[in-house]
């Protein structure tokens, strides 16, 4: 069952299989659907054995960076005598991305099971699920599911009678995109401003409360029970392309498209068929023009480039962009790219934590200049200034927020320069009729 | 001078900006004090309960005053200035009272594609709010633009107090407002 519409026959619903299924939200309903078997087995296995299965499955982080999950877990020194922590990153705020919200709303126990297994695999007795403050419904659903799981002894002291302790708590954010950055997230849990930290030290050495910590995305952790139940080979087989990209992946689709929503496909699925068959193509009378395929922080590609993509980590890179979080934002031929990119730059300017000069000033100036161009008051020199700014915003700051602003803007100008020049020479305005 | 309605409401209630002496939220023995004490046990450091404590204040009072920051600081062993530093970092904490119905319209790129700018105009028009961030003269509404609500496939999402309303178009705005409970 898909959500908000029925699953397409070409989808591979693993994580999304129970979206829209109300009974799957309860502990009993989840167990009836095969839930918590993986956790029960995991608790009688060893952390290293679990890490090995996850390593062998090829699972990579679904939050955006695509780092191999099993390898990340193996950075935690199991016998160091220190308290370890697992943080589940549910601060889903990347424009275009709305998959973790659905996982939490519909299958809260899938996430709890994944978090509990992850915690055990890294030697942690405490895990925090950091949910953005705006997600009031997912927070309520997760809190209710956690209370149920605690009351049933599935998590907590002596989880499932294993003698192991796994406490899982929700920590609610309060409005800050940057808290999705792992070190900012840890600061936020510690009761601080959500400023990213300089690395090293990396979280596996000194993370939350100064102790060894692992941060994993919601979708990553929710995939883990399936891998333990069905085996690494089963997960690896879910790939139509590169052996470096395995499993199924949720793609959130939004913008100017006939059927927006979440779609789960195996890695390497042809993007062209995805866009036209699964998502229903453009709105009536429109053509797709451009898209940002991995959440707003990755480079813009043209529809022609997109049609050549195989949907995996390597496939998006081959077309000059990234898979990122899998949040696909589609722009059709009625959209003004300068106007859209100016709005996106404003998002980053608003969300900059302002620690680094390049980011604080860069995102703000990029927004001002783009908005000036959109208003018909730009110059050709402004375009050069944007590229100069982008240079100083890339690879020079504590975190990648400023890089994330520069990437869509510069790629968008390179690919749709004509639209910017038309605004500068006064041949066109950015006023568009949406969906008209 | 009144900045807001006087009667707190259920769930997301917003109390008056009153000028009387500050009444503490975490009075010893109160339900909130017990809740906070229980919450602190989830973390190895007291200060980690700061965001949750601020949420409790906002749920009870509708906003977080300087006096509340002082109180929360005393509870968690940090200065009022430190607490203010945190409050001002996060956009969801209100540093001033807001309308009874706090309306946040997502206008980030995917929603802009769907015409979110027109949804903002419709809310301003039908609530009588003169501009973004100002509360309507009757104290009922405050409208702001918000950055990505993470519901891009249901554009345009609007958060009203704690609840999301999805697929909002300008035409639906009057009915949405009529359906809000005082």
């Amino acid at each position: 069952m898909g959500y908000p519409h029925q699953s397409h026959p070409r989808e591979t619903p693993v994580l999304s299989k129970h979206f829209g299924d109300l009974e799957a939200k309860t502990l009993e309903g989840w167990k009836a659907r095969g839930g918590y078997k993986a956790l029960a087995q995991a608790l009688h296995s060893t952390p290293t054995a679990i890490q090995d299965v996850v390593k062998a499955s090829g699972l990579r982080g679904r939050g955006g960076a695509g780092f191999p999950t099993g390898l990340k877990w193996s950075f935690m020194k199991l016998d160091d005598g220190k308290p370890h922590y697992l943080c589940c990153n549910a601060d889903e705020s990347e424009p275009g991305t709305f998959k973790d919200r659905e996982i939490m709303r519909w299958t809260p126990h899938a996430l709890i099971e994944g978090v509990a297994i992850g915690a055990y695999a890294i030697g942690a007795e405490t895990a925090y699920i950091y949910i953005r403050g705006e997600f009031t419904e997912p927070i309520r659903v997760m809190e209710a599911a956690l209370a149920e799981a605690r009351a049933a002894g599935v998590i907590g002291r002596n989880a499932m009678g294993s003698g192991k302790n796994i406490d899982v708590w929700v920590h609610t954010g309060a409005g800050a995109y940057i808290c999705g950055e792992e070190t900012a997230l840890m600061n936020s849990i510690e009761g601080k401003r959500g400023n990213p930290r300089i690395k090293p030290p990396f979280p596996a050495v000194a993370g939350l409360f100064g102790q060894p910590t692992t941060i994993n995305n919601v979708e990553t952790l929710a995939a883990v029970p399936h891998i333990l139940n069905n085996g690494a080979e089963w997960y690896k087989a879910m790939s139509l392309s590169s052996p470096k990209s395995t499993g199924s992946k949720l793609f959130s689709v939004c913008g100017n498209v006939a059927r927006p929503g979440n779609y789960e496909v195996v890695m390497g699925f042809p993007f062209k068929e995805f866009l036209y068959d699964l998502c229903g193509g453009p709105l009536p009378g429109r053509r797709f023009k451009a898209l940002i395929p991995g959440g707003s922080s990755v480079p813009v590609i043209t529809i022609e480039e997109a049609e050549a993509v195989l949907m995996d980590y390597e496939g998006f890179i081959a077309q000059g962009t990234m898979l990122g979080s899998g949040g696909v934002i589609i722009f059709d031929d009625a959209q003004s790219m300068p106007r859209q990119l100016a709005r996106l730059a404003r998002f980053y300017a608003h969300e900059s934590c302002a620690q680094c000069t390049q980011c604080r000033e860069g995102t703000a100036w990029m927004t001002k200049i783009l908005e000036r161009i959109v208003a018909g008051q730009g110059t050709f020199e402004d375009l050069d200034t944007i590229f100069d700014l982008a240079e100083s915003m890339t690879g020079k700051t504590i975190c990648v927020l400023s890089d994330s602003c520069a990437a869509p803007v510069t790629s968008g100008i390179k690919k749709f320069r004509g639209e910017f020049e038309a605004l500068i020479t006064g041949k066109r305005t950015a006023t568009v009729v949406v969906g008209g | 001078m009144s900045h807001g309605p006087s009667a707190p409401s259920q769930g997301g209630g917003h109390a008056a900006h009153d000028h009387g002496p500050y009444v503490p939220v975490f009075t010893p023995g109160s339900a909130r004090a017990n809740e906070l004490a229980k919450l602190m046990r989830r973390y190895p450091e007291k200060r980690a309960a700061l965001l949750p404590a601020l949420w409790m204040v906002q749920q009870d009072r509708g906003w977080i005053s300087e006096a509340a920051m002082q109180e929360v600081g005393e509870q968690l062993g940090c200065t009022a200035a430190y607490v203010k530093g945190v409050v001002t970092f996060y956009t969801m904490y209100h540093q001033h009272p807001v309308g009874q119905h706090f309306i946040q319209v997502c206008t980030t790129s995917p929603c802009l594609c769907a015409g979110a700018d027109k949804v903002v105009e419709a809310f301003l028009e039908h609530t009588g709010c003169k501009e973004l961030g100002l509360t309507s003269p009757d104290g009922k509404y405050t409208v702001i633009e918000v950055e990505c609500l993470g519901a891009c496939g249901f554009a345009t999402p609007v958060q009203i107090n704690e609840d999301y309303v999805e697929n909002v178009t300008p035409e639906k705005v009057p009915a949405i407002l009529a359906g809000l409970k005082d």
Side-chain angles (χ1 to χ4, degrees):
Chain A
M1 189 184 288
Y3 186 84
H5 33 68
Q6 288 292 310
S7 276
H8 190 278
R10 296 192 64 194
E11 282 186 70
T12 305
V14 176
L15 303 169
S16 60
K17 191 175 173 191
H18 302 292
F19 285 5
D21 173 359
L22 284 171
E23 285 174 21
K25 284 183 163 187
T26 63
L27 180 67
E28 198 188 335
W30 191 245
K31 281 186 167 169
R33 283 158 185 75
Y36 289 114
K37 266 190 218 152
L39 176 61
Q41 281 169 7
L43 290 170
H44 291 97
S45 166
T46 65
T48 333
I50 299 166
Q51 289 179 12
D52 289 344
V53 176
V54 173
K55 264 187 204 166
S57 75
L59 174 65
R60 292 168 67 177
R62 301 298 198 227
F67 194 83
T69 306
L71 183 62
K72 194 187 231 184
W73 288 358
S74 71
F75 294 155
M76 300 288 282
K77 288 202 170 56
L78 292 169
D79 50 2
D80 60 3
K82 297 177 181 174
H84 290 187
Y85 294 101
L86 176 72
C87 297
C88 171
N89 189 343
D91 189 54
E92 184 167 64
S93 315
E94 175 78 11
T97 317
F98 48 97
K99 61 187 178 67
D100 298 341
R101 175 173 178 248
E102 299 307 306
I103 292 174
M104 292 189 283
R105 285 169 91 188
W106 296 112
T107 56
H109 288 285
L111 180 60
I112 296 170
E113 188 174 5
V115 167
I117 295 170
Y120 178 62
I122 60 160
E125 294 197 336
T126 308
Y128 299 101
I129 303 176
Y130 185 96
I131 310 181
R132 65 179 294 189
E134 291 87 347
F135 276 1
T136 48
E137 186 197 345
I139 291 167
R140 281 194 293 265
V141 175
M142 287 307 305
E143 291 277 26
L146 282 167
E148 226 187 344
R150 251 176 241 131
V154 170
I155 53 169
R157 305 283 102 182
N158 188 21
M160 299 188 103
S162 64
K164 319 272 172 24
N165 302 328
I166 300 172
D167 285 325
V168 184
W169 307 109
V170 166
H171 190 94
T172 302
Y177 167 71
I178 193 57
C179 288
E181 197 278 342
E182 58 181 17
T183 59
L185 184 150
M186 297 189 298
N187 275 343
S188 188
I189 295 178
E190 290 180 10
K192 297 174 180 162
R193 291 166 69 88
N195 291 337
R197 302 175 184 173
I198 292 172
K199 293 188 273 193
F202 289 95
V205 175
L208 186 63
F209 305 114
Q211 304 297 342
T213 303
T214 296
I215 299 98
N216 289 128
N217 172 259
V218 169
E219 189 186 354
T220 313
L221 289 169
V224 170
H226 295 286
I227 294 171
L228 296 193
N229 281 332
N230 300 298
E233 289 306 315
W234 164 82
Y235 199 73
K236 266 166 74 177
M238 284 196 287
S239 173
L240 299 173
S241 53
S242 162
K244 288 182 187 165
S245 295
T246 61
S248 62
K249 169 88 186 87
L250 280 166
F251 286 88
S252 307
V253 181
C254 65
N256 306 125
V257 58
R259 282 200 298 272
N262 280 296
Y263 296 87
E264 188 172 7
V265 292
V266 297
M267 286 288 183
F269 196 90
F271 205 18
K272 187 174 180 179
E273 292 167 33
F274 179 84
L275 291 170
Y276 293 94
D277 298 346
L278 278 64
C279 308
L283 293 163
R286 291 287 166 209
R287 279 189 325 107
F288 287 153
K289 178 163 79 177
L291 50 87
I292 308 184
S296 64
S297 301
V298 307
V300 176
I301 53 173
T302 64
I303 184 61
E304 292 76 19
E305 288 169 321
E307 287 177 1
V309 165
L310 293 178
M311 301 167 77
D312 66 14
Y313 293 101
E314 294 72 32
F316 282 102
I317 288 172
Q319 290 297 325
T321 186
M322 285 185 282
L323 181 146
S325 62
V328 183
I329 309 171
I330 307 177
F331 305 108
D332 69 16
D333 55 355
Q335 295 298 328
S336 154
M337 292 309 287
R339 182 172 182 249
Q340 285 294 342
L341 294 169
R343 181 63 189 85
L344 211 48
R346 180 143 66 93
F347 168 81
Y348 289 100
H350 183 268
E351 301 299 339
S352 171
C353 84
Q355 279 189 112
C356 306
T357 310
Q358 295 92 329
C359 177
R360 182 182 65 243
E361 299 299 317
T363 54
W365 277 105
M366 206 169 247
T367 308
K368 276 184 196 176
I369 296 170
L370 285 166
E371 287 180 349
R372 180 159 82 207
I373 294 172
V374 171
Q377 290 157 358
T379 63
F380 283 100
E381 204 190 344
D382 280 341
L383 294 178
D384 299 335
T385 308
I386 288 176
F387 282 97
D388 284 350
L389 272 173
E391 169 89 34
S392 68
M393 289 163 72
T394 306
K396 298 187 174 66
T397 46
I398 293 174
C399 80
V400 294
L401 188 139
S402 69
D403 307 57
S404 303
C405 177
V409 170
T410 52
S411 55
I413 296 176
K414 278 180 199 153
K415 286 166 188 176
F416 297 94
R417 195 174 181 101
E419 290 190 33
F420 289 84
E421 291 182 346
L423 286 167
I424 291 166
T425 55
K427 292 210 176 87
R428 213 188 301 164
T429 69
T431 312
V432 291
V433 183
V434 177
Chain B
M1 191 170 78
S2 170
H3 292 277
S6 53
S9 64
Q10 281 287 311
H14 299 285
H17 187 192
D18 85 47
H19 292 270
Y22 177 72
V23 180
V25 174
F26 304 100
T27 339
S30 68
R32 280 305 199 192
N34 295 338
E35 205 181 329
L36 183 60
K38 216 169 134 190
L39 221 133
M40 284 185 208
R41 292 202 286 272
R42 295 182 182 182
Y43 309 96
E45 295 173 7
K46 282 210 279 204
R47 190 172 58 181
L50 181 50
L51 266 63
L54 292 170
W55 274 122
M56 288 184 210
V57 171
Q58 183 153 309
Q59 275 160 12
D60 290 1
R61 301 295 159 85
W63 67 296
I64 299 168
S65 65
E66 302 258 347
M69 294 179 208
Q70 175 80 38
E71 188 198 2
V72 169
E74 283 163 9
Q75 291 290 327
L76 301 179
C78 37
T79 64
Y82 177 86
V83 177
K84 190 169 190 175
V86 172
V87 169
T88 52
F89 186 87
Y90 297 94
T91 57
M92 294 182 78
Y93 293 133
H94 303 313
Q95 296 163 59
H96 302 280
V98 296
Q100 185 186 353
H101 303 292
F102 186 66
I103 300 168
Q104 306 185 73
V105 185
C106 180
T107 60
T108 314
S109 301
C111 291
L112 187 59
C113 283
D117 47 341
K118 300 288 186 291
V119 176
V120 173
E121 284 171 22
F123 272 109
L124 285 175
E125 185 194 331
H126 294 286
T127 55
C129 292
K130 290 213 169 50
E131 58 182 85
L132 290 171
L134 286 186
T135 298
S136 58
D138 58 6
K140 280 176 84 170
Y141 309 105
T142 308
V143 181
I144 65 159
E145 281 186 38
V146 69
E147 295 295 347
C148 193
L149 283 176
C152 324
F154 313 93
T156 298
V158 177
Q159 185 164 22
I160 304 180
N161 293 342
E162 293 199 343
D163 299 318
Y164 273 33
V165 188
E166 297 173 342
N167 302 304
V168 178
T169 55
E171 300 72 46
K172 293 182 185 170
V173 169
I176 291 168
L177 291 173
L180 296 177
K181 292 188 180 71
D182 282 344

